[in-house]
Amino acid sequence: GGAELTAAELGEEQQVLAGSLTDALDPAGWTYQDGSALRPGTPPVPRPVACPASSGTAVTQGTGSAAGPRRHLLELQLAGPAPASPESARDRAQRVLLGSGADMLSALTPGPDAPPETAYTFTASFAGGIVKFSATDYEQTLQITSACSSDPALAATGNPAT
């Protein structure tokens, strides 16, 4: 329960969480999904995405007086450089996320014969959304997805957190 978070609140929570995580893992070399660089010391910018209609959280699209606004969520996807140790990176991310108030949903440690592209992962719930961190011998990834919100600022282009 509780009140639904606004676009600004969702964006700020994602920025703080992602900033804490990339700082703990070494902020250099992280990029957005489009390949643009995340500048150390600059808050990451989440992007609004329409909630899936099948999730039961979206308002039915249509025309006329029955049509309502589509609900949106904020998503932040970052890719980081290859860690010195994928397991250590995952463990560090897990400590940061749990220390930030996230609740663990799952953690995966590949077996000893797993190929190097097999990810060490940590998935948690945070502020009604999901946080997923993974690390392989080749890269680290972070995905933060908020809960769906009816705040119209999420449907606008640009960064609702500013």
Side-chain angles (χ1 to χ4, degrees):
E4 189 174 89
L5 296 176
T6 66
E9 290 168 333
L10 290 170
E12 183 178 342
E13 285 193 347
Q14 286 191 5
Q15 289 176 321
V16 169
L17 189 63
S20 297
L21 199 53
T22 56
D23 285 350
L25 295 166
D26 184 2
W30 286 83
T31 60
Y32 289 101
Q33 194 173 15
D34 66 2
S36 61
L38 174 65
R39 294 190 312 273
T42 303
V45 181
R47 64 187 181 94
V49 178
C51 291
S54 62
S55 70
T57 58
V59 174
T60 303
Q61 292 294 299
T63 56
S65 60
R70 182 88 184 253
R71 291 168 55 91
H72 286 73
L73 55 81
L74 278 181
E75 183 176 74
L76 181 59
Q77 292 188 43
L78 299 172
S85 162
E87 186 173 14
S88 293
R90 189 271 318 268
D91 293 348
R92 190 173 311 122
Q94 182 173 332
R95 284 191 299 274
V96 169
L97 291 169
L98 293 175
S100 298
D103 293 317
M104 182 171 116
L105 297 174
S106 69
L108 172 71
T109 300
D113 297 328
E117 62 274 7
T118 304
Y120 288 80
T121 64
F122 181 74
T123 305
S125 62
F126 181 76
I130 299 291
V131 181
K132 206 171 187 179
F133 174 83
S134 67
T136 68
D137 285 351
Y138 306 113
E139 72 173 350
Q140 301 170 86
T141 59
L142 172 64
Q143 179 178 3
I144 305 174
T145 306
S146 76
C148 290
S149 173
S150 56
D151 186 338
L154 280 174
T157 58
N159 178 11
T162 57

